[in-house]
């Protein structure tokens, strides 16, 4: 059962604020592109995955000093009538209790969502996105923000 979102105004944007479990699906519709809509499921968020990435590609780009990588796994389903590229339409951001941010990072990772191309109507794909942030995230409560097709962002509270 999906949690009931509450809407809290934030400037001129409305934010969908939820505290769901991983595996909860969120429906979205583009505010900019007619016919683009879908469903995203945040399957997992794994911290400190540098060893796994190094095993996959020993020549990977290392995170900045004091930072770690987080691997975000999502499933995206296209429920609309137009194709779109999920990696361009999902904009993840991890925000720590002290305001620190982990943002999208680029290096070679397994099942990279950006390597999977366009998602046609009716299709589903599962892939990974990489975030980079300070090690201090490991000791604080965080929020995972995912902006969906320039629409209402989903916010998950993480312990």
């Amino acid at each position: 059962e999906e949690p009931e979102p509450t809407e809290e105004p934030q400037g001129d944007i409305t934010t969908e604020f939820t505290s769901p479990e991983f595996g909860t699906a969120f429906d979205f519709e583009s505010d900019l592109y007619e016919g683009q809509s879908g469903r995203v499921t945040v399957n997992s968020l794994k911290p400190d995955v540098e060893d796994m990435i190094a095993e996959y590609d020993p020549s990977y780009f290392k995170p900045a000093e004091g930072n770690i990588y987080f691997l975000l796994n999502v499933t995206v389903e296209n429920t609309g009538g137009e194709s779109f590229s999920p990696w361009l339409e999902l904009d993840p951001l991890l925000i720590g209790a002290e305001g620190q941010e982990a943002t999208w990072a680029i290096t070679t990772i397994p099942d990279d969502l950006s390597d999977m191309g366009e998602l046609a109507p009716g299709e589903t794909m599962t892939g990974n996105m990489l975030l980079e942030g300070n090690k201090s995230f490991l000791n604080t409560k965080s929020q995972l923000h995912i902006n969906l097709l320039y629409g209402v962002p989903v916010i998950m509270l993480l312990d």
Side-chain angles (χ1 to χ4, degrees):
E1 180 175 296
E2 289 188 31
E4 287 294 319
T6 58
E7 293 190 359
E8 298 179 0
Q10 205 175 50
D12 356 39
I13 331 176
T14 301
T15 301
E16 182 175 334
F17 183 80
T18 59
S19 186
E21 299 290 323
F22 284 105
T24 302
F26 298 95
D27 293 319
F28 60 89
E29 188 171 324
S30 174
D31 287 346
L32 297 178
Y33 304 107
E34 190 173 327
Q36 286 188 351
S37 62
R39 175 172 289 140
V40 64
T41 303
V42 178
N43 300 315
S44 63
L45 179 68
K46 296 178 183 174
D48 208 8
V49 293
E50 194 173 337
D51 289 343
M52 182 270 301
I53 294 171
E55 186 177 310
Y56 179 76
D57 179 7
S59 64
Y60 75 103
F61 296 114
K62 293 182 175 31
E65 184 70 31
N67 283 0
I68 60 171
Y69 283 137
F70 298 83
L71 193 68
L72 176 66
N73 181 268
V74 296
T75 299
V76 183
E77 177 185 359
N78 185 341
T79 61
E82 298 292 327
S83 295
F84 61 88
S85 298
W87 74 276
L88 290 172
E89 311 303 347
L90 302 181
D91 184 18
L93 173 66
L94 189 61
I95 300 177
E98 299 166 7
Q100 70 273 40
E101 294 182 355
T103 57
W104 193 34
I106 299 175
T107 195
T108 306
I109 59 173
D111 301 318
D112 192 334
L113 199 63
S114 68
D115 292 338
M116 296 185 178
E118 288 223 332
L119 186 60
E123 290 185 346
T124 300
M125 68 174 60
T126 298
N128 294 317
M129 300 180 83
L130 192 66
L131 301 171
E132 179 180 347
N134 191 276
K135 290 179 182 179
S136 64
F137 272 103
L138 297 177
N139 303 319
T140 65
K141 292 188 176 189
S142 307
Q143 296 179 0
L144 175 64
H145 295 228
I146 301 183
N147 297 314
L148 306 167
L149 283 171
Y150 307 105
V152 175
V154 169
I155 301 174
M156 295 177 67
L157 299 179
L158 309 174
D159 287 330

